[in-house]
Amino acid sequence: MEISTLATYHCLAFVWYFFVAYSITHVKTEERPSEVFLYGGQWKYLTVLNLVLQAVFYGVSFLADVLRLIKKLRCAKCIISSRDLLFSVLAFPVSTFVCISFWTLYIYNRELVYPKSLDGVIPLWLNHAMHTAVLPFALLEILALPHRYPAKKKGLILLGFVAFMYISWVLWIYSVTGEWVYPLFALFNPPGLAAFFAGSLAIIVAFYNFGEFLNRMIWGQSKFS
């Protein structure tokens, strides 16, 4: 894909994610059900954090494209490294995890992740923007250009650290409020919850490996030499 086309795409994707993140963080207070958006606000939900992550990623990608267009190649090289690290370790695996885990649990029992009371608060288009469109965007990014993945050990350590930080945030919210971020967590005893978190981490690691596999299958090794 031409650099100018990439720049246009990344700019539009950045604007889209900024708009979606803005929309969810500006849901009218009086319309919120009492059990939602209390301690920690929207920032306790992985879905909302992912929107911010995607906006940052596409902003960095657009900056890299602009630097390449104006021939600032030395600066572009550094930004491209940051772009690839963001995509490989976080943007692709987190988006894939958010989409697949959300809709799997929603079909099984929506009250565990997205209570029906939210239907009157969050429009249908916004629900799909947060939970559905993130996966096609991630796949399109792999098709659009090759990304250099870090060494496997480094990538998994970074991914594991971010996952640990989010789990710590969820547990901290529970310790303060006595309420779980997602009703699903209330179904587990402590060992069961630990097993659930471990299983979720294993799944997101699998998505990381899947992204790396797709990247190499589509672009091969030559693009990274």
Side-chain angles (χ1 to χ4, degrees):
M1 190 179 292
E2 295 292 331
I3 298 177
S4 57
T5 305
L6 278 175
T8 301
Y9 162 64
H10 285 143
C11 180
L12 291 175
F14 168 74
V15 171
W16 166 253
Y17 274 113
F18 184 87
F19 169 70
V20 174
Y22 177 86
S23 298
I24 191 62
T25 55
H26 285 75
V27 172
K28 293 181 179 179
T29 303
E30 61 270 17
E31 295 178 354
R32 300 172 182 174
S34 60
E35 72 273 15
V36 178
F37 303 152
L38 297 178
Y39 186 88
Q42 295 96 330
W43 308 111
K44 59 178 173 283
Y45 298 108
L46 184 61
T47 295
V48 177
L49 295 175
N50 181 55
L51 294 176
V52 176
L53 167 65
Q54 301 305 318
V56 170
F57 165 71
Y58 282 106
V60 171
S61 297
F62 176 61
L63 176 59
D65 297 334
V66 170
L67 290 173
R68 291 173 68 194
L69 282 171
I70 62 176
K71 307 301 182 181
K72 299 291 186 179
L73 299 182
R74 182 174 298 180
C75 295
K77 185 176 181 180
C78 179
I79 300 300
I80 288 171
S81 295
S82 300
R83 178 202 70 190
D84 289 348
L85 189 66
L86 268 174
F87 180 77
S88 61
V89 175
L90 294 177
F92 182 84
V94 174
S95 286
T96 308
F97 180 82
V98 165
C99 179
I100 293 178
S101 63
F102 175 83
W103 287 113
T104 298
L105 291 169
Y106 186 97
I107 292 170
Y108 174 71
N109 182 357
R110 65 169 296 177
E111 294 299 317
L112 297 177
V113 290
Y114 194 82
K116 196 170 184 178
S117 57
L118 288 177
D119 287 347
V121 180
I122 300 175
L124 182 62
W125 74 265
L126 187 52
N127 181 19
H128 283 293
M130 294 188 297
H131 298 115
T132 307
V134 291
L135 181 55
F137 266 104
L139 293 172
L140 182 57
E141 179 65 21
I142 284 185
L143 292 172
L145 75 162
H147 296 83
R148 184 182 295 274
Y149 273 65
K152 182 62 66 72
K153 182 178 179 180
K154 178 183 178 181
L156 293 181
I157 287 175
L158 288 173
L159 178 59
F161 175 75
V162 173
F164 173 78
M165 293 299 294
Y166 180 69
I167 291 171
S168 298
W169 174 227
V170 168
L171 295 175
W172 171 258
I173 291 172
Y174 178 75
S175 72
V176 172
T177 66
E179 299 289 336
W180 288 110
V181 171
Y182 297 104
L184 169 69
F185 297 158
L187 300 179
F188 300 103
N189 57 22
L193 189 62
F196 177 82
F197 285 145
S200 297
L201 179 59
I203 291 171
I204 203 169
V205 166
F207 291 147
Y208 170 90
N209 289 326
F210 180 62
E212 184 176 30
F213 167 76
L214 285 180
N215 191 62
R216 291 194 178 278
M217 183 179 70
I218 293 169
W219 297 103
Q221 185 66 38
S222 60
K223 289 287 185 178
F224 307 98
S225 58

